[in-house]
Amino acid sequence: MDMNVMNSNGGKEAAVMVRNAYKRFNVANVVLHGLNMTVPEGTVYGLLGPSGCGKTTLLHCIVGRSELDSGEIKVKAKKKANIGYMPQEIALYNEFSIIETMTYYGRLFGLCGKKIEKRTEELLKFLELPSKSSIVGKLSGGQERRVSFAVALIHDPQLLILDEPTVGVDPVLSASIWERLLHMAAHGNKTVIITTHYIEEARQAHTIGLMRNGQLLAEESPSQLMIQHNCSTLEQAFLELSKRQYTSTIGQEDENCNIEVYPTPKEKPEVPLQHDVNCSWKRIFAQLTKNFYWMKRNKAIMCFLLLLPVVQCFLFCLCIGRDPRGLKVAVVNEEVQGISSCDWLPLEGCNFSVPLSCRYLKKIQQKTYNLIEYYDIETAKNAIKTNEVWGLIYFSKNYTASLVERIMLKEETDNVSIALSEVNVWQDMSNQYISNLLRKDALNGYVEFLQGVFFDCGWPPRMADIPIKLEKAIYGNNNPSFSHFTAPAIISLFEFYLPMVFTVGAILMEKMAGLLERSLVAGFGQKYVNQWFQEVENYHNQFKPHFSKLWSLAGVTILEVVISHMVVQFIVISIQTTLMMLVLFVLYDNPLAGSLLWILLLLFLTGTSGMCYGFMVAVMCNTDTAATFMGLGSFFPLAMLSGMMWPLEGMHWILRSIGWILPITLSTETFRALSARAWTITHPTVYKGFFSSFGWICFFMFITMLVVKKNHGLRRK
């Protein structure tokens, strides 16, 4: 298509030309249907039409944020540095000041600091805005819209594309905006495309394009349109054209009409503004600057993000893994008149005239149980049924004599003495952990009590022990804590989910507010490369041509968004990990026997995996609700199947097979192997965890890129 085509508007060269443009989102929703448009250079072009007629979609196609299914778009400006885009949404960071907003977008367009300062001062005066330190979120609606307008003008573009800039604006401000647009076109040779559904205000434009149902009904100056259709207002002219279009389509509007005539081009239509390369460190720096501005303005959120894992680790260490204390246990002791009398009896030495039941109860009390005396078995059992106590310990009237007889006579002891020498225990087994703890302490306490008796009587104490000797543990100790088992899973879970939550929140916030869309349109071209070189001291001229080619590209890319976000996330993850490690392994004595370097590297990969999962969730979801369902919906299955709550070996074989391939399962096992066993990277359990984390990072990013490619960006079109 020849851009030197002349038109009726003074024979001016075309700044934008669209020919035979088709675009649809599905077979029943054709947004652009053979649209043709010509925008003369140095003029204001008013694109009019009702909401939903395809105006915004057409603008997205012009700036390269969306692609035509068929047709052709030619833009005289080859770089986005020559285009200023103002979306219909305000699309500004409410927490930023005006100067911070202008600095961010100015750096996206390649402007140096001095240039940004100068342009900001000019635009503040030009648009009658308050001081540059004013916070955007505290401005009035009209002032916010003028700041958005200033962002589109910051880099002094030749082509301005403004999507509904006057919607909801005070009439006085609307007139002021139009006055400035006409002034820029007349004195600055700027080309302006402005969309609106306010028909009469567009009479000020040099050229009007009347759009309905994805087609331009007419494209003329306002006066010519009214003369041609013998109307006194543009609204009447638009009505006449709409009636003609409606009449011409009667009888053709069956549901398959659009499908039958919809073209199928042999080649994919060319995007008007192409990317030369996918990554620019200067735009990454601009994104980083924006991220740090956001963190500076949201101190409460950042403190919450940094302190949340610390609080969770403290709660975990204080609430999980400690044995219950002060459990109430019923005692029925027929040997004594009240167990309180045991406090006055000598419980040492080889003296069998003193009830041995008192000596055993003392061992139980030392294990922090609260003994409650009952005087008959039935009353004590009812106390268990009403949950007043967790168990019952019963001693018969002749317990001491029967136990001594059993020890002395051994195999000659009669059955009655054997029965009377037993300690009878009834338990509430509804709580597995408490019941198992009570059972363990009852058995261990009995062995300790009997060994003490043997020692006092000069008998070998080992004869009173169970004939199983637990040697020193190969890994860990012989009295393991449940918190030692769960600590690796807890820190792995936090490392995975906290970056995911932060990533989803940050990306979705920018997507839903239109901020990301605006950044993806921004870019800088060759005219600003020299300003960049002037900021670099001692730069040798022989490298300038090579870097010039690198920097001359169009628009922020997805890769740049990901890289800038990852840098910030790595800083946050590093702080969170350091704090969690201090709580779990310094303040609380969880085992950490292996290499700290490998442990930190594993946590880093786990955090990166969670961040990549967050990217995948953010690009797949367009609302907070959908992201919440997807994030929380995956939290509990991952937590339960990762071996955090229970060993995988105790699960159903199908779930066990699934559990081993989940993102944090192998990394949790690797953390246990490193922290408790001090295994090295050469051990299969260790390197499998590293491979698993790296594999999930690749998988999440692959799915993310597929979704981005399918949606032609981070947002569904």
PDB file of all heavy atoms in Angstrom, residues 24 26-28 30 33 254-264:
ATOM      1  N   ARG A  24     -12.198 -10.767  14.023  1.00  0.00           N
ATOM      2  CA  ARG A  24     -13.282 -11.343  14.805  1.00  0.00           C
ATOM      3  C   ARG A  24     -12.686 -12.126  15.974  1.00  0.00           C
ATOM      4  O   ARG A  24     -11.558 -12.608  15.916  1.00  0.00           O
ATOM      5  CB  ARG A  24     -14.153 -12.258  13.952  1.00  0.00           C
ATOM      6  CG  ARG A  24     -13.468 -13.520  13.459  1.00  0.00           C
ATOM      7  CD  ARG A  24     -14.403 -14.350  12.600  1.00  0.00           C
ATOM      8  NE  ARG A  24     -13.743 -15.532  12.062  1.00  0.00           N
ATOM      9  CZ  ARG A  24     -14.293 -16.356  11.166  1.00  0.00           C
ATOM     10  NH1 ARG A  24     -15.509 -16.100  10.708  1.00  0.00           N
ATOM     11  NH2 ARG A  24     -13.638 -17.410  10.730  1.00  0.00           N
ATOM     12  N   ASN A  26     -14.709 -14.619  17.516  1.00  0.00           N
ATOM     13  CA  ASN A  26     -15.244 -15.952  17.263  1.00  0.00           C
ATOM     14  C   ASN A  26     -16.120 -15.847  16.020  1.00  0.00           C
ATOM     15  O   ASN A  26     -16.345 -14.754  15.488  1.00  0.00           O
ATOM     16  CB  ASN A  26     -16.031 -16.493  18.466  1.00  0.00           C
ATOM     17  CG  ASN A  26     -17.117 -15.539  18.926  1.00  0.00           C
ATOM     18  OD1 ASN A  26     -18.039 -15.225  18.171  1.00  0.00           O
ATOM     19  ND2 ASN A  26     -17.005 -15.066  20.167  1.00  0.00           N
ATOM     20  N   VAL A  27     -16.613 -16.965  15.537  1.00  0.00           N
ATOM     21  CA  VAL A  27     -17.328 -16.984  14.258  1.00  0.00           C
ATOM     22  C   VAL A  27     -18.601 -16.148  14.290  1.00  0.00           C
ATOM     23  O   VAL A  27     -19.094 -15.704  13.247  1.00  0.00           O
ATOM     24  CB  VAL A  27     -17.661 -18.437  13.853  1.00  0.00           C
ATOM     25  CG1 VAL A  27     -16.397 -19.200  13.532  1.00  0.00           C
ATOM     26  CG2 VAL A  27     -18.470 -19.142  14.945  1.00  0.00           C
ATOM     27  N   ALA A  28     -19.143 -15.908  15.492  1.00  0.00           N
ATOM     28  CA  ALA A  28     -20.391 -15.148  15.588  1.00  0.00           C
ATOM     29  C   ALA A  28     -20.158 -13.699  15.991  1.00  0.00           C
ATOM     30  O   ALA A  28     -21.115 -12.953  16.160  1.00  0.00           O
ATOM     31  CB  ALA A  28     -21.323 -15.822  16.597  1.00  0.00           C
ATOM     32  N   VAL A  30     -17.983 -10.780  14.618  1.00  0.00           N
ATOM     33  CA  VAL A  30     -17.074 -10.081  13.710  1.00  0.00           C
ATOM     34  C   VAL A  30     -17.018  -8.620  14.135  1.00  0.00           C
ATOM     35  O   VAL A  30     -18.022  -7.913  14.100  1.00  0.00           O
ATOM     36  CB  VAL A  30     -17.544 -10.205  12.243  1.00  0.00           C
ATOM     37  CG1 VAL A  30     -16.603  -9.432  11.328  1.00  0.00           C
ATOM     38  CG2 VAL A  30     -17.618 -11.673  11.842  1.00  0.00           C
ATOM     39  N   HIS A  33     -15.299  -5.480   9.744  1.00  0.00           N
ATOM     40  CA  HIS A  33     -15.813  -6.195   8.577  1.00  0.00           C
ATOM     41  C   HIS A  33     -15.488  -5.390   7.317  1.00  0.00           C
ATOM     42  O   HIS A  33     -16.268  -4.552   6.861  1.00  0.00           O
ATOM     43  CB  HIS A  33     -17.324  -6.400   8.706  1.00  0.00           C
ATOM     44  CG  HIS A  33     -17.863  -7.461   7.801  1.00  0.00           C
ATOM     45  ND1 HIS A  33     -18.997  -8.182   8.082  1.00  0.00           N
ATOM     46  CD2 HIS A  33     -17.419  -7.939   6.618  1.00  0.00           C
ATOM     47  CE1 HIS A  33     -19.225  -9.034   7.110  1.00  0.00           C
ATOM     48  NE2 HIS A  33     -18.282  -8.905   6.203  1.00  0.00           N
ATOM     49  N   ASP A 254     -28.502 -13.571   8.409  1.00  0.00           N
ATOM     50  CA  ASP A 254     -28.618 -14.883   9.024  1.00  0.00           C
ATOM     51  C   ASP A 254     -27.315 -15.177   9.752  1.00  0.00           C
ATOM     52  O   ASP A 254     -26.300 -14.541   9.554  1.00  0.00           O
ATOM     53  CB  ASP A 254     -28.892 -15.963   7.971  1.00  0.00           C
ATOM     54  CG  ASP A 254     -27.787 -16.024   6.945  1.00  0.00           C
ATOM     55  OD1 ASP A 254     -26.831 -16.780   7.188  1.00  0.00           O
ATOM     56  OD2 ASP A 254     -27.869 -15.280   5.933  1.00  0.00           O
ATOM     57  N   GLU A 255     -27.367 -16.160  10.614  1.00  0.00           N
ATOM     58  CA  GLU A 255     -26.243 -16.399  11.511  1.00  0.00           C
ATOM     59  C   GLU A 255     -24.989 -16.879  10.790  1.00  0.00           C
ATOM     60  O   GLU A 255     -23.882 -16.771  11.319  1.00  0.00           O
ATOM     61  CB  GLU A 255     -26.645 -17.451  12.562  1.00  0.00           C
ATOM     62  CG  GLU A 255     -27.032 -18.789  11.965  1.00  0.00           C
ATOM     63  CD  GLU A 255     -27.433 -19.782  13.035  1.00  0.00           C
ATOM     64  OE1 GLU A 255     -27.446 -19.410  14.218  1.00  0.00           O
ATOM     65  OE2 GLU A 255     -27.720 -20.931  12.682  1.00  0.00           O
ATOM     66  N   ASN A 256     -25.110 -17.370   9.562  1.00  0.00           N
ATOM     67  CA  ASN A 256     -23.929 -17.832   8.837  1.00  0.00           C
ATOM     68  C   ASN A 256     -23.408 -16.811   7.830  1.00  0.00           C
ATOM     69  O   ASN A 256     -22.446 -17.078   7.111  1.00  0.00           O
ATOM     70  CB  ASN A 256     -24.240 -19.142   8.084  1.00  0.00           C
ATOM     71  CG  ASN A 256     -24.548 -20.267   9.040  1.00  0.00           C
ATOM     72  OD1 ASN A 256     -23.877 -20.395  10.060  1.00  0.00           O
ATOM     73  ND2 ASN A 256     -25.546 -21.077   8.721  1.00  0.00           N
ATOM     74  N   CYS A 257     -24.022 -15.629   7.778  1.00  0.00           N
ATOM     75  CA  CYS A 257     -23.642 -14.640   6.760  1.00  0.00           C
ATOM     76  C   CYS A 257     -22.191 -14.238   6.891  1.00  0.00           C
ATOM     77  O   CYS A 257     -21.438 -14.244   5.930  1.00  0.00           O
ATOM     78  CB  CYS A 257     -24.554 -13.416   6.864  1.00  0.00           C
ATOM     79  SG  CYS A 257     -24.106 -12.058   5.751  1.00  0.00           S
ATOM     80  N   ASN A 258     -21.781 -13.870   8.116  1.00  0.00           N
ATOM     81  CA  ASN A 258     -20.415 -13.410   8.325  1.00  0.00           C
ATOM     82  C   ASN A 258     -19.403 -14.504   8.049  1.00  0.00           C
ATOM     83  O   ASN A 258     -18.309 -14.251   7.569  1.00  0.00           O
ATOM     84  CB  ASN A 258     -20.244 -12.890   9.757  1.00  0.00           C
ATOM     85  CG  ASN A 258     -20.916 -11.541   9.958  1.00  0.00           C
ATOM     86  OD1 ASN A 258     -21.090 -10.795   9.006  1.00  0.00           O
ATOM     87  ND2 ASN A 258     -21.298 -11.245  11.202  1.00  0.00           N
ATOM     88  N   ILE A 259     -19.793 -15.720   8.337  1.00  0.00           N
ATOM     89  CA  ILE A 259     -18.864 -16.838   8.144  1.00  0.00           C
ATOM     90  C   ILE A 259     -18.622 -17.075   6.658  1.00  0.00           C
ATOM     91  O   ILE A 259     -17.501 -17.314   6.222  1.00  0.00           O
ATOM     92  CB  ILE A 259     -19.425 -18.112   8.808  1.00  0.00           C
ATOM     93  CG1 ILE A 259     -19.659 -17.842  10.306  1.00  0.00           C
ATOM     94  CG2 ILE A 259     -18.503 -19.283   8.606  1.00  0.00           C
ATOM     95  CD1 ILE A 259     -20.340 -18.980  11.025  1.00  0.00           C
ATOM     96  N   GLU A 260     -19.683 -16.959   5.847  1.00  0.00           N
ATOM     97  CA  GLU A 260     -19.563 -17.260   4.422  1.00  0.00           C
ATOM     98  C   GLU A 260     -18.667 -16.258   3.695  1.00  0.00           C
ATOM     99  O   GLU A 260     -17.901 -16.617   2.817  1.00  0.00           O
ATOM    100  CB  GLU A 260     -20.958 -17.271   3.802  1.00  0.00           C
ATOM    101  CG  GLU A 260     -21.823 -18.434   4.298  1.00  0.00           C
ATOM    102  CD  GLU A 260     -23.247 -18.304   3.788  1.00  0.00           C
ATOM    103  OE1 GLU A 260     -23.531 -17.312   3.090  1.00  0.00           O
ATOM    104  OE2 GLU A 260     -24.065 -19.189   4.068  1.00  0.00           O
ATOM    105  N   VAL A 261     -18.770 -14.969   4.068  1.00  0.00           N
ATOM    106  CA  VAL A 261     -18.007 -13.954   3.345  1.00  0.00           C
ATOM    107  C   VAL A 261     -16.682 -13.633   4.023  1.00  0.00           C
ATOM    108  O   VAL A 261     -15.910 -12.838   3.504  1.00  0.00           O
ATOM    109  CB  VAL A 261     -18.838 -12.655   3.205  1.00  0.00           C
ATOM    110  CG1 VAL A 261     -20.127 -12.918   2.474  1.00  0.00           C
ATOM    111  CG2 VAL A 261     -19.133 -12.043   4.580  1.00  0.00           C
ATOM    112  N   TYR A 262     -16.425 -14.241   5.153  1.00  0.00           N
ATOM    113  CA  TYR A 262     -15.212 -13.892   5.893  1.00  0.00           C
ATOM    114  C   TYR A 262     -13.991 -14.408   5.134  1.00  0.00           C
ATOM    115  O   TYR A 262     -13.914 -15.592   4.788  1.00  0.00           O
ATOM    116  CB  TYR A 262     -15.255 -14.495   7.299  1.00  0.00           C
ATOM    117  CG  TYR A 262     -14.370 -13.774   8.279  1.00  0.00           C
ATOM    118  CD1 TYR A 262     -14.801 -12.585   8.860  1.00  0.00           C
ATOM    119  CD2 TYR A 262     -13.115 -14.257   8.619  1.00  0.00           C
ATOM    120  CE1 TYR A 262     -14.012 -11.906   9.765  1.00  0.00           C
ATOM    121  CE2 TYR A 262     -12.316 -13.584   9.515  1.00  0.00           C
ATOM    122  CZ  TYR A 262     -12.767 -12.405  10.092  1.00  0.00           C
ATOM    123  OH  TYR A 262     -11.981 -11.728  10.987  1.00  0.00           O
ATOM    124  N   PRO A 263     -13.010 -13.542   4.850  1.00  0.00           N
ATOM    125  CA  PRO A 263     -11.859 -13.954   4.029  1.00  0.00           C
ATOM    126  C   PRO A 263     -10.902 -14.847   4.800  1.00  0.00           C
ATOM    127  O   PRO A 263     -10.807 -14.793   6.018  1.00  0.00           O
ATOM    128  CB  PRO A 263     -11.194 -12.621   3.676  1.00  0.00           C
ATOM    129  CG  PRO A 263     -11.541 -11.723   4.814  1.00  0.00           C
ATOM    130  CD  PRO A 263     -12.923 -12.133   5.249  1.00  0.00           C
ATOM    131  N   THR A 264     -10.193 -15.665   4.059  1.00  0.00           N
ATOM    132  CA  THR A 264      -9.147 -16.514   4.638  1.00  0.00           C
ATOM    133  C   THR A 264      -7.844 -16.208   3.903  1.00  0.00           C
ATOM    134  O   THR A 264      -7.541 -16.796   2.857  1.00  0.00           O
ATOM    135  CB  THR A 264      -9.498 -18.003   4.484  1.00  0.00           C
ATOM    136  OG1 THR A 264      -9.787 -18.264   3.093  1.00  0.00           O
ATOM    137  CG2 THR A 264     -10.718 -18.355   5.319  1.00  0.00           C
TER     138      THR A 264
END
